[in-house]
Amino acid sequence: MRIHPGELKEEPALDVIRRRQDFPILHREVHGHPLVYLDNAATSQKPWSVIEAERHYYAHLNANIHRGVHYLSQEATAAFEAARERVRAFINAAAPEEIVFTRGTTEAINLVAASYGQRLQAGDEILITEMEHHSNIVPWQLLCQRSGAVLRVAPFDAAGQLIVDQFADLLGPRTRLVALSHMSNALGSINPVKALVAMAHRVGAVVLVDGAQAVAHLPVDVADLDCDFYAFSGHKLYGPTGIGVLYGRRALLDAMPPWQGGGDMIREVRFAGSSWNDLPYKFEAGTPNIAGGIGLGAAIDYVRGVGLEAIAAHEAELLAYATARAHDFPGLTLIGSAAEKGAILSFTLAGVHPHDIGTILDAQGVAVRTGHHCAMPVMEHFAVPATVRASFALYNTRHEVDALFAGLARVQEVFA
Ligand SMILES: Cc1ncc(COP(=O)(O)O)c(C=O)c1O
C-alpha cells in the first residue's frame, strides 16, 4: 500500500534526539554540513558506552585471557566471558558454549563451510538464495569445488521477495545445507526464516542463517527460529569492527572438526597428535579480539536498553516515510519493495550513475552507499550495474530523510 508523507504519525517510537547524544560522531560536520549518516547497512556508528568499554579494557584490564593465573588476566577473562553470556542471552542460545567469537559474519560462514563442510560429498547439494551477500555465496562455491557438491539457488520475485514455492522445490534428499540471509543488505527483504528452517529440516538439511543485517533491526531468537547456525557481525550492531559471532547448535559444534589450529583450541599437543579443547574454544584458535568482544557486549547492553521493538518501530516509520517520498520523486526507481522489509532504501535515478549520486550527496554531508553492495547477483537480476542505498539506524530522523531527498533534488539540478 502506498503511504503519503502527510498520513504518517508524527510521534517517534523512541527518543531519537536524546539517543543521538549517545553517538559522538553524529555531531561532526562533513564538507561544511552536518553529517547525515545513512550507510548503516555497511557499518553503524558507535555509542559512547561501546567506545568507553574498549577504552576501559585497554586502560584497566589489558591482559591475555584464559591462560594467565594473574589478576589482570582473570579480570580480562571474566569480562570477555561476560560478553559471551550477553551474546547468548541476546539471541536466546541455550548455552555460552554455542557462542563462538569470530572476526565477523564472513569468518563465521567460512568456519562452517570449512568445518561442517567436510561432511559434504560429490552430488550433495547446498541451497542458497539469489539475494545473498557474496560472503554467503563464495564460501559455498569454494566448498563445492573441494567436495564436488552442487550449489542450488532459490530465486526472488520482482519485489525482491524469496519465492518460497521455488525454495521448497529446490529442497530434496540431496540437500545437506541451506544458507540464507535473514535480511538482505541490498534489498532490505526479510525472509520468513522460521518457516524456511522448518522446510529444510523436513529434508534433513542443516540451516545457516546470515544475520549480519537482521540483528540490529529485529529481535532474534535462535531457539524459536530453530536454525542450526546463525552468523552476525558486531560492527553492524553498534559494536566494534573485527568481532562477530557464530551461534551453532551444540551437538553440531561438538561433532565438527576444528578449522584453525593454534593456541587455546587444544587440550593436549604431542608430536604424535593433538586433542581439542571444549566448546567454544575449540573454534577460537589464537588470541581473540578481547577488546572487541567486550565492546560487543556493551553494544548489546545498549541495544537492549533502547529496545529492539522500539528500534524496529522507529525504523519502520522512517522507512515508510522515505518510501513515500521516493514514490513522489521523479525518475526514482526503488529496487526492492518486499512486504517484509528492513530499513533499507535501494534505488536508481534515471540518467544518473549511482556513483555520481553518491558523490553529490557526499558534498552535502549525506553518506550513502553506492555500488553492487557485495550482492552482484541482485544487480544482475534487476539489470542494473549498481544502486544507491540509504540504510537507517535507530539514530536517524525524518529530517535526515528530507536531507537525502534535498540532496537528490540537487543531483537532478546538476544533471538537468
Ligand atoms: C547480509 C550480509 N552478510 C554478510 C556480510 C558480511 O559481513 P562482514 O563483512 O562484517 O563479515 C554483510 C556485510 O555487509 C551483509 O550485509
Side-chain angles (χ1 to χ4, degrees), residues 41-42 104-107 133 135 181 183 185 210 212-213 233 235-236:
T105 309
T106 303
E107 190 173 79
H133 186 279
S135 65
S181 53
M183 173 175 154
N185 68 309
D210 171 353
Q213 291 298 329
S233 304
H235 69 96
K236 297 183 198 279

Side-chain angles (χ1 to χ4, degrees), residues 43-56:
T43 198
S44 55
Q45 300 301 348
K46 319 305 170 201
W48 274 121
S49 59
V50 169
I51 297 166
E52 178 54 25
E54 286 215 324
R55 192 201 66 80
H56 181 263

Side-chain angles (χ1 to χ4, degrees), residues 1 9 20 26 33 52 64 97 123 134 160 175 223 231 238 247 273 299 326 358:
M1 189 190 67
K9 71 178 166 57
R20 287 179 69 83
L26 298 181
H33 297 274
E52 178 54 25
N64 211 329
E97 288 79 2
H134 296 163
T175 316
Y238 309 101
Y247 156 79

Side-chain angles (χ1 to χ4, degrees), residues 74-366:
Q74 292 185 7
E75 269 199 339
T77 302
F80 189 68
E81 292 305 324
R84 193 189 306 276
E85 171 53 26
R86 283 176 167 77
V87 173
R88 184 209 65 73
F90 184 60
I91 59 170
N92 194 29
E97 288 79 2
E98 298 185 322
I99 304 300
V100 177
F101 281 122
T102 64
R103 276 197 301 128
T105 309
T106 303
E107 190 173 79
I109 297 172
N110 276 279
L111 189 167
V112 175
S115 173
Y116 186 85
Q118 290 179 32
R119 296 184 188 193
L120 270 72
Q121 295 173 354
D124 286 345
E125 293 179 6
I126 300 170
L127 176 59
I128 62 171
T129 84
E130 196 186 3
M131 69 179 81
E132 299 310 314
H133 186 279
H134 296 163
S135 65
N136 203 23
I137 301 174
V138 181
W140 309 120
Q141 289 177 324
L142 293 172
L143 173 56
C144 287
Q145 280 171 16
R146 289 196 298 273
S147 64
V150 178
L151 193 67
R152 302 259 182 247
V153 183
F156 58 75
D157 64 15
Q161 298 173 130
L162 183 71
I163 306 172
V164 174
D165 288 348
Q166 296 204 27
F167 175 88
D169 289 346
L170 285 162
L171 288 168
R174 303 305 313 255
T175 316
R176 295 280 172 268
L177 203 142
V178 174
L180 70 147
S181 53
H182 199 164
M183 173 175 154
S184 154
N185 68 309
L187 300 165
S189 315
I190 296 172
N191 285 316
V193 168
K194 188 173 175 175
L196 301 174
V197 169
M199 290 159 71
H201 282 171
R202 280 199 283 279
V203 300
V206 303
V207 184
L208 176 142
V209 181
D210 171 353
Q213 291 298 329
V215 277
H217 306 286
L218 319 165
V220 170
D221 180 333
V222 292
D224 182 56
L225 294 176
D226 199 30
C227 56
D228 302 290
F229 300 105
Y230 196 97
F232 67 93
S233 304
H235 69 96
K236 297 183 198 279
L237 183 62
Y238 309 101
T241 53
I243 187 80
V245 171
L246 173 70
Y247 156 79
R249 207 186 279 285
R250 188 178 191 149
L252 285 173
L253 291 179
D254 253 334
M256 282 159 53
W259 80 303
Q260 288 182 333
D264 231 19
M265 53 73 72
I266 49 83
R267 185 182 308 282
E268 275 189 339
V269 176
R270 300 231 152 71
F271 288 121
S274 302
S275 56
W276 317 135
N277 202 346
D278 296 331
L279 290 176
Y281 313 113
K282 180 171 84 172
F283 294 109
E284 293 181 354
T287 302
N289 181 352
I290 306 168
I294 292 169
L296 174 56
I300 287 174
D301 284 350
Y302 183 82
V303 167
R304 293 190 96 169
V306 181
L308 265 167
E309 261 94 18
I311 294 171
H314 169 67
E315 292 176 350
E317 156 88 2
L318 271 186
L319 182 68
Y321 179 65
T323 305
R325 292 224 44 187
H327 280 136
D328 287 344
F329 199 88
L332 189 153
T333 305
L334 280 178
I335 305 288
S337 48
E340 293 296 322
K341 194 177 165 194
I344 284 176
L345 199 76
S346 223
F347 59 90
T348 57
L349 210 50
V352 194
H353 194 281
H355 290 319
D356 292 329
I357 299 172
T359 307
I360 296 171
L361 288 176
D362 178 59
Q364 294 162 88
V366 179

